[in-house]
Amino acid sequence: MKTWSNMYLAICLSLALAISSNCTLAGTIRKNTTEPAQNAARKSGSIDSLIQYFEETTKNLKAQVEGLSAAQLAFKPSPEQWSIGECLEHIILSETMLFEMAKKELAKAPQPERKAEVKVNDENLKHMMGDRSQKFKAPAELQPTGKYTAVKVALQDFTAARKPVLAFIKQANEEDLKNHISEYPTGTVNGHQNLLFIAAHCARHTKQIEEIKANPKFPKK
């Protein structure tokens, strides 16, 4: 795996962990006990909660892009910003890269004795990864080239990229995921959270797509 890809994941996760830590200390993130009971399962770090989040992010992405025209896919709020088509391309490229990196971490020896070092919970990690006020620059291999002019083709490629990830998660052992520890400059996560980050990254750029669609100059059709 290329160094820039490793750095990209490290930077994204590190920033998310750093912001999460600061916000938790400041009391800006709601405690688990104050949130709806139906969210409890999603906070458990279970395989089911992971699958549920992947399904949720898939549904949300499709809802945002289905039916868009070629002109809508190509629209850029400014020359420096990505179009929706480019966001989709980046998501698809990242799904594969982030999955390979997660598997690489899970191939390392488990460290169950370090589980207590994981301080951030899944909900905080997802929330902070979705914070669009914090921006990252994608490495060269994840920069879009404008290949998608049709939503149908992009979604087919997205489904193909996500299929092996879901297959891997469905056969994974929950305890084994949590026994695999990854250390980043500002915090520590487990194998479950390395996989969760793939879907959180998709959710982040789905928000970016929403922002593009909300632009006053976005084509009507």
Side-chain angles (χ1 to χ4, degrees), residues 28-64:
T28 59
I29 300 300
R30 292 179 296 173
K31 294 181 180 179
N32 294 350
T33 54
T34 66
E35 295 184 346
Q38 60 265 35
N39 286 338
R42 297 180 62 186
K43 293 186 174 67
S44 67
S46 67
I47 296 296
D48 286 345
S49 71
L50 195 55
I51 293 171
Q52 181 183 359
Y53 187 51
F54 269 85
E55 291 174 346
E56 175 188 315
T57 54
T58 296
K59 180 180 178 181
N60 290 345
L61 178 63
K62 289 182 176 180
Q64 287 297 323

Side-chain angles (χ1 to χ4, degrees), residues 185-200:
T186 56
T188 305
V189 297
N190 58 37
H192 170 96
Q193 291 170 329
N194 268 322
L195 290 166
L196 179 145
F197 183 78
I198 301 170

Side-chain angles (χ1 to χ4, degrees), residues 54-209:
F54 269 85
E55 291 174 346
E56 175 188 315
T57 54
T58 296
K59 180 180 178 181
N60 290 345
L61 178 63
K62 289 182 176 180
Q64 287 297 323
V65 302
E66 282 183 325
L68 295 183
S69 67
Q72 290 171 322
L73 280 183
F75 170 77
K76 290 187 174 190
S78 74
E80 297 77 26
Q81 292 175 286
W82 287 349
S83 66
I84 291 177
E86 288 173 327
C87 288
L88 284 168
E89 186 177 352
H90 173 72
I91 291 170
I92 293 162
L93 289 169
S94 299
E95 290 274 317
T96 300
M97 183 273 285
L98 294 172
F99 180 43
E100 290 303 316
M101 291 176 65
K103 288 193 296 181
K104 183 178 179 179
E105 289 297 306
L106 288 166
K108 297 177 181 178
Q111 298 175 294
E113 70 280 1
R114 297 187 63 196
K115 286 166 66 174
E117 295 179 31
V118 179
K119 304 298 184 184
V120 65
N121 67 42
D122 293 359
E123 292 303 307
N124 286 356
L125 187 59
K126 289 187 287 186
H127 179 82
M128 293 307 161
M129 192 56 204
D131 180 2
R132 291 277 302 145
S133 68
Q134 305 292 327
K135 304 294 175 63
F136 321 117
K137 182 174 176 58
E141 63 265 36
L142 296 182
Q143 290 285 343
T145 60
K147 67 180 287 186
Y148 293 116
T149 58
V151 169
K152 182 179 179 180
V153 176
L155 288 180
Q156 286 175 342
D157 287 353
F158 173 74
T159 300
R162 184 154 279 198
K163 184 177 179 179
V165 185
L166 284 168
F168 182 89
I169 292 170
K170 288 176 181 178
Q171 59 80 43
N173 178 275
E174 183 177 319
E175 192 64 24
D176 183 59
L177 291 180
K178 293 177 183 176
N179 285 339
H180 282 81
I181 306 300
S182 298
E183 190 170 345
Y184 297 99
T186 56
T188 305
V189 297
N190 58 37
H192 170 96
Q193 291 170 329
N194 268 322
L195 290 166
L196 179 145
F197 183 78
I198 301 170
H201 178 269
C202 174
R204 176 181 179 82
H205 290 287
T206 300
K207 285 187 177 182
Q208 184 177 2
I209 290 170

